[in-house]
């Protein structure tokens, strides 16, 4: 049987506001437990919430960037449930009138564009954190009330790889918008994945499972892959998939059942009486729209047009906002019209140095000017590509400039034919067989001779110049 996966993702995002969604407590991460609390976020009777305007702005900005329609008349609702990390016994959320709905996000899958629908993006507040130790459970309310944006996708995603691309593209946009630090390790970006399978060609959706507890995009991908195989196994054995919430076990690399539909809660949503409904004016929406920077996709297309790069290369260069600014500075200042060489340096050696150091390009302390200086040496054939890569590593480690390192290590290649003549003649004299082979059309023999000259020059000769010299000399003879 041929099956198809149907996936919808729910992303929860901490908005990067200084204070919480409905009170003035700090949102700073990592402080003494319960040091950032007040009667409002602890749900004391008689305390009243006040909406954080910055959180509202960030929520609208994100909705607009995700091509959503912004709801002009909107309100908050109470989502009621009991849990020890929820002191109010309800969460302020949005039910039927979310700020944003009906948007989309374009991803690239195997070189082809695909549009994933965004059902809604609504504002709510985070709960606290339970800390379980041996025989006790502790609760930290510092996180309680931090503004949380929930972004729900349509079930338009059909493979774990598509889910991965969707999350990567979404994170890139969120970083460009500067609405969140998107740090999965700190829990400021979390993802639940809903997945079902159906026979290919079948219209109706299968029964879904909701996966939780993945702490990286790779984890989401792995969990989805596992779950597809599990669900196929269930169907093939003649049974039915049941609707349930499953946890991704990061040690065993499998999903395990957490709760089934029978235990699903009725949240008894009702309008939040302490926050009256309100209108987001058209002017306000227009003003926020203006504050949205050029987004990754537009920037990618501009890089293709302005610098003649492929969409693939440009896509890598724009993935992070700060690195894309760095790349643009390099591309603009690079003296040649053909920008491929500098783009290759950015995507190749520089990016892998950054990845190796768990950093981004901007974090490497090599300024665009420094990189261009180094690449200049290579372009003028003064140093080899190989030495240039070693110089780059040292530039990053020592914060020294390219020319200082090149001078110190004496890396400048010998390109002067006069100085190379003797070595060329020696190599020819000592390797009569290779000379004969070359004359019979064996190119390998020429490369061997180049190697011999390189050896004689202690690796200092410019191989391109040596090759030209040998060709000329052997054509004459
Ligand atoms: P719930 O009420 O259980 O939260 P929703 O209808 O709100 O379910 O959908 C939550 C997420 O699940 C959305 O991202 C949606 O696209 C996705 N989804 C809904 N039905 C299915 C299905 N049959 N298979 C996979 N994903 C689904
Ligand atoms: Mg849901
Ligand atoms: Zn508070």
């Amino acid at each position: 049987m041929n099956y198809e996966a149907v996936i919808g993702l729910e992303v929860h995002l901490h908005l990067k506001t200084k204070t919480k969604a409905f009170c003035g407590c700090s949102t700073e991460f990592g402080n003494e437990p319960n040091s950032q609390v007040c009667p409002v976020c602890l749900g004391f009777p008689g305390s009243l919430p006040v909406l954080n305007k910055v959180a509202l702005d960030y929520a609208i900005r994100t909705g607009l960037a995700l091509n959503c329609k912004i709801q002009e008349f909107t309100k908050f609702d109470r989502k009621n449930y009991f849990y020890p990390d929820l002191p109010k016994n309800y969460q302020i959320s949005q039910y039927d009138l979310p700020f944003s709905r009906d948007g989309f996000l374009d991803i690239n899958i195997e070189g082809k564009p695909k549009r994933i629908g965004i059902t809604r993006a609504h504002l709510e507040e985070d709960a606290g954190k339970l800390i379980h130790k041996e025989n006790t459970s502790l609760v930290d309310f510092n996180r309680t009330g931090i503004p949380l944006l929930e972004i729900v996708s349509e079930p338009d995603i059909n493979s774990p790889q598509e889910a991965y691309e969707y999350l990567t593209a979404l994170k890139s946009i969120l970083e460009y918008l500067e609405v969140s630090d998107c740090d999965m390790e700190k829990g400021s970006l979390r993802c639940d994945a809903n997945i079902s399978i159906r026979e290919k060609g079948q219209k109706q959706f299968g029964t879904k499972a909701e996966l939780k507890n993945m702490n990286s995009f790779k984890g989401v991908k792995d969990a989805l892959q596992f779950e597809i195989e599990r669900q196929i196994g269930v169907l093939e054995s003649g049974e039915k998939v049941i609707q349930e919430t499953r946890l991704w076990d990061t040690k065993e690399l499998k999903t395990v059942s957490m709760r089934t539909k029978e235990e699903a809660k009725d949240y008894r949503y009702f309008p939040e009486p302490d926050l009256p409904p309100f209108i987001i004016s058209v002017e306000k929406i227009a003003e926020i729209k203006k504050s949205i920077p050029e987004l990754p996709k537009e920037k990618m297309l501009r890089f293709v047009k302005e610098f003649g790069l492929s969409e693939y290369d440009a896509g890598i260069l724009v993935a992070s906002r700060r690195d894309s600014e760095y790349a643009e500075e390099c591309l603009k200042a690079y003296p040649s019209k053909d920008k491929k060489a500098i783009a290759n340096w950015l995507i190749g050696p520089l990016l892998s140095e950054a990845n190796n150091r768990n950093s981004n390009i901007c974090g490497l302390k090599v300024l665009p000017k420094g990189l261009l200086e180094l690449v200049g040496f290579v372009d003028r054939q003064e140093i080899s590509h190989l030495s240039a890569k070693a110089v780059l590593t040292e530039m990053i480690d020592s914060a020294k400039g390219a020319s200082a390192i090149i001078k110190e290590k004496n890396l400048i290649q010998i390109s002067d034919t006069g100085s190379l003549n003797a070595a060329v003649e020696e190599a020819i004299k000592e390797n009569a067989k290779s000379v004969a082979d070359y004359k019979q059309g064996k190119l390998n023999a020429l490369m061997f001779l180049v190697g011999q000259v390189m050896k004689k020059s202690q690796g200092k000769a410019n191989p391109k110049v040596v090759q030209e010299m040998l060709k000329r000399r052997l054509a004459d003879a």
Side-chain angles (χ1 to χ4, degrees), residues 59-268:
I60 297 172
R61 194 182 326 175
T62 310
L64 287 170
L66 296 175
N67 309 293
C68 291
K69 295 189 188 84
I70 305 299
Q71 188 78 44
E72 283 171 37
F73 177 81
T74 183
K75 68 176 166 69
F76 286 99
D77 300 278
R78 282 190 185 180
K79 179 179 180 180
N80 302 280
Y81 63 96
F82 170 81
Y83 205 71
D85 65 9
L86 191 74
K88 292 203 297 265
N89 285 343
Y90 63 84
Q91 204 180 0
I92 301 179
S93 182
Q94 295 193 285
Y95 185 56
D96 54 336
L97 296 175
F99 290 157
S100 329
R101 61 183 357 149
D102 300 332
F104 61 84
L105 176 64
D106 289 331
I107 62 169
N108 231 303
I109 194 81
E110 283 159 8
K112 281 194 223 111
K114 175 164 178 177
R115 180 158 287 182
I116 309 294
I118 306 273
T119 317
R120 57 191 274 147
H122 72 246
L123 191 60
E124 56 185 33
E125 53 177 341
D126 206 353
K129 206 155 58 183
L130 290 179
I131 303 151
H132 303 287
K133 290 188 176 169
E134 289 163 40
N135 297 322
T136 42
S137 286
L138 303 166
V139 62
D140 176 6
F141 291 121
N142 283 353
R143 203 175 69 180
T144 311
I146 289 187
L148 206 58
L149 195 68
E150 178 171 341
I151 303 169
V152 182
S153 89
E154 287 289 298
D156 291 344
I157 299 165
N158 296 112
S159 72
Q161 185 60 30
E162 284 183 20
Y164 185 89
E165 298 295 335
Y166 169 86
L167 290 170
T168 307
L170 179 62
K171 184 175 171 205
S172 178
I173 291 173
L174 296 169
E175 279 175 349
Y176 267 64
L177 295 173
E178 294 181 326
V179 294
S180 172
D181 62 16
C182 297
D183 189 337
M184 281 188 103
E185 275 165 32
K186 286 190 200 159
S188 47
L189 192 156
R190 309 194 285 264
C191 173
D192 299 339
N194 299 271
I195 171 153
S196 62
I197 55 169
R198 63 179 170 188
E199 269 174 51
K200 256 213 171 108
Q202 179 188 310
K203 274 231 170 76
Q204 221 179 338
F205 287 155
T207 307
K208 72 177 160 93
E210 183 169 0
L211 311 182
K212 288 180 183 288
N213 202 36
M214 291 86 63
N215 51 17
S216 68
F217 292 171
K218 169 88 172 29
V220 174
K221 195 169 136 181
D222 292 345
L224 284 168
Q225 191 57 49
F226 177 91
E227 190 58 20
I228 289 173
E229 282 156 31
R230 187 191 70 85
Q231 291 188 13
I232 289 176
V234 170
L235 291 188
E236 300 265 276
S237 70
E239 282 167 53
K240 281 193 175 138
V241 174
I242 51 168
Q243 183 160 342
E244 60 183 344
T245 302
R246 299 178 69 88
L247 291 183
W248 176 237
D249 182 331
T250 50
K251 285 209 186 81
E252 300 275 327
L253 299 181
K254 61 180 193 183
T255 63
V256 287
S257 182
M258 184 174 103
R259 60 168 179 257
T260 54
K261 176 87 179 179
E262 288 79 82
E263 301 157 49
K265 298 150 184 157
D266 175 359
Y267 293 118
R268 275 183 58 242

Side-chain angles (χ1 to χ4, degrees), residues 378-444:
V378 183
D379 288 348
R380 292 189 301 274
Q381 293 188 29
E382 289 172 358
I383 64 172
S384 69
H385 197 268
L386 203 65
S387 347
K389 284 213 278 196
V391 172
L392 179 65
T393 307
E394 191 162 340
M395 285 167 75
I396 296 163
D397 287 336
S398 68
K400 278 188 212 158
S403 58
I405 297 167
I406 290 167
K407 204 163 157 200
E408 207 177 279
K409 300 224 143 137
N410 196 15
L411 293 173
I412 297 281
Q413 294 179 336
I414 307 170
S415 298
D416 163 35
T417 51
S419 320
L420 293 171
N421 230 341
V424 169
E425 290 305 326
E426 259 178 53
I428 289 173
K429 209 175 287 166
E430 289 165 12
N431 298 284
K433 168 116 182 31
S434 299
V435 171
D437 284 351
Y438 172 65
K439 285 187 175 168
Q440 256 155 36
K442 285 193 187 151
L443 275 179
N444 278 348

